[in-house]
Amino acid sequence: MNLAEKVRQKYSAMVSDLASNAGEPVVIAKKESVKNFMAALRADSEFSFDLLMDLFAVDYLFWEEKEKRFEIIYNLYSLTKKHRLFIKVQVRETDPTLDSVAGVWPAADWYEREAWDMFGIRFSGHPNLKRILMYESFKGHPLRKDYRYNERQPIIGPLN
Amino acid sequence: MGAVTVDKFSFMTTKLNDAIGWARKFSIFQYPFVTACCGMEYMATACAHYDVDRFGAGFPRFSPRQADVLFVVGTISHKMAPVLKRVYDQMCEPKWVVAFGVCTCTGGFYDNYATVMGIDTIIPVDVYIPGCPPRPENVLDGLMKLQDKIQNQKQEV
């Protein structure tokens, strides 16, 4: 039984599906309980995922087989157990909102700001959800597939 | 300029404009605004092997208020644009701008939401040095073009 199956067995209420990617186990989690799920995975001594290595979003706009447009991917690692797990959460275009995990891992703070900046994913409960790479007057979210790659925005002048 | 020998002592005649231009073109205090990989080539040019000091430009000033020439070296993003404008505005006249590398000239191979398509959309540019990155010889060529421009322009005093 691999890591993803163990996680599903223990937290079946919060997991919707399993997958794998390049030999790494992937757990597809339910959006509603994502924060509790992450907090449990961190606290659980069987898994003890104490390190959030990465958090990012993917836009599947042109993938017809995908029912929901966005996927948020959490890359978890355990420094004590030396194992890794990818967790995906799918959200719809009409409501790209899910709970912030910045309270579970402080590292999520800037990752979630980046996902908001680039994809427009809103993380409710985030302490300071504003743009991190682009400037505040930027319109839109540039890594969304429907943002034209050659779209230009006005050059901003000195700010003060 | 012309050198005239009269008996035991020599002297030169010149025009004020030419003399000031001569002085200015050999005392280029540069402000290196380095944002990207072109900076390595800038360093190669500035170091002993190519020795930009031969042209009187070996003294980088890291305060725009003390600099004569703004070297914009590397890609300028939209978020960086107001900073570059601010640095340019802080420089004292007379001042010149060199666009170093193709990113600063035209945006280069970047064609996206983040990159400024040439710094001449923000500030006036005197010399463009294309290349990705330009070789040091190319940089020195551009520097000599700048010297020509400084020598031959009307000198504001």
Side-chain angles (χ1 to χ4, degrees):
Chain A
M1 189 155 62
N2 73 15
L3 191 60
E5 286 161 351
K6 282 183 200 164
V7 168
R8 178 161 70 171
Q9 200 172 47
K10 202 159 184 176
Y11 300 102
S12 57
M14 304 181 193
V15 173
S16 65
D17 203 359
L18 296 187
S20 81
N21 184 15
E24 296 280 353
V26 176
V27 170
I28 298 173
K30 288 178 185 162
K31 179 186 132 177
E32 296 73 27
S33 54
V34 62
K35 190 178 179 186
N36 289 338
F37 184 44
M38 296 295 176
L41 283 179
R42 179 173 187 169
D44 191 329
S45 60
E46 187 185 350
F47 304 114
S48 66
F49 284 111
D50 43 15
L51 188 64
L52 176 72
M53 298 201 73
D54 198 11
L55 187 165
F56 205 56
V58 181
D59 184 356
Y60 287 109
L61 178 62
F62 301 118
W63 291 47
E64 288 176 1
E65 65 270 31
K66 294 274 184 187
E67 187 201 346
K68 298 176 181 172
R69 180 171 168 184
F70 297 106
E71 260 178 15
I72 291 91
I73 301 168
Y74 301 79
N75 179 351
L76 307 186
Y77 188 72
S78 168
L79 289 170
T80 50
K81 304 278 182 188
K82 311 278 189 234
H83 56 201
R84 185 188 303 279
L85 184 65
F86 290 92
I87 302 203
K88 291 186 180 177
V89 179
Q90 296 168 334
V91 296
R92 288 184 192 282
E93 183 181 4
T94 49
D95 181 29
T97 308
L98 73 167
D99 282 337
S100 166
V101 296
V104 182
W105 297 280
D109 186 329
W110 282 16
Y111 289 141
E112 287 176 350
R113 281 176 63 187
E114 191 187 12
W116 156 251
D117 194 357
M118 294 289 130
F119 291 94
I121 311 286
R122 275 189 298 277
F123 293 90
S124 47
H126 189 283
N128 181 28
L129 192 66
K130 60 178 190 182
R131 290 184 183 277
I132 188 168
L133 294 173
M134 305 309 293
Y135 40 95
E136 280 302 316
S137 55
F138 190 84
K139 301 269 191 307
H141 301 282
L143 289 194
R144 285 190 172 196
K145 295 295 181 195
D146 51 5
Y147 187 94
R148 282 192 301 113
Y149 78 95
N150 57 356
E151 184 169 330
R152 299 280 178 264
Q153 303 216 5
I155 292 173
I156 49 175
L159 298 176
N160 50 19
Chain B
M1 288 185 219
V4 182
T5 309
V6 177
D7 292 339
K8 289 178 184 171
F9 57 93
S10 311
F11 62 93
M12 287 196 311
T13 57
T14 181
K15 286 182 278 187
L16 181 64
N17 203 63
D18 290 346
I20 292 173
W22 177 83
R24 282 183 175 162
K25 78 172 179 179
F26 287 121
S27 63
I28 298 173
F29 285 19
Q30 11 155 354
Y31 180 92
F33 193 91
V34 178
T35 57
C37 37
C38 271
M40 301 310 294
E41 214 66 16
Y42 171 79
M43 292 171 217
T45 314
C47 285
H49 194 87
Y50 290 94
D51 195 10
V52 84
D53 209 6
R54 292 179 292 160
F55 304 92
F59 195 31
R61 305 305 298 156
F62 295 103
S63 162
R65 296 171 205 282
Q66 300 171 354
D68 304 309
V69 176
L70 178 62
F71 266 73
V72 185
V73 184
T75 321
I76 299 299
S77 65
H78 277 251
K79 203 171 179 179
M80 197 55 143
V83 181
L84 178 64
K85 180 80 167 75
R86 167 66 56 86
V87 167
Y88 177 78
D89 288 344
Q90 283 176 339
M91 290 171 66
C92 297
E93 296 279 358
K95 58 189 173 183
W96 298 273
V97 176
V98 174
F100 186 116
V102 75
C103 289
T104 53
C105 296
T106 65
F109 56 71
Y110 294 106
D111 185 11
N112 59 24
Y113 58 91
T115 307
V116 173
M117 297 286 105
I119 59 165
D120 49 8
T121 55
I122 312 168
I123 54 178
V125 176
D126 294 282
V127 176
Y128 297 86
I129 306 174
C132 185
R135 284 198 52 79
E137 294 89 335
N138 207 348
V139 179
L140 297 179
D141 189 39
L143 191 64
M144 287 189 285
K145 287 217 165 35
L146 179 68
Q147 286 184 321
D148 282 350
K149 179 164 185 170
I150 295 173
Q151 172 73 72
N152 294 322
Q153 74 182 30
K154 182 178 185 317
Q155 307 297 340
E156 303 288 344
V157 189

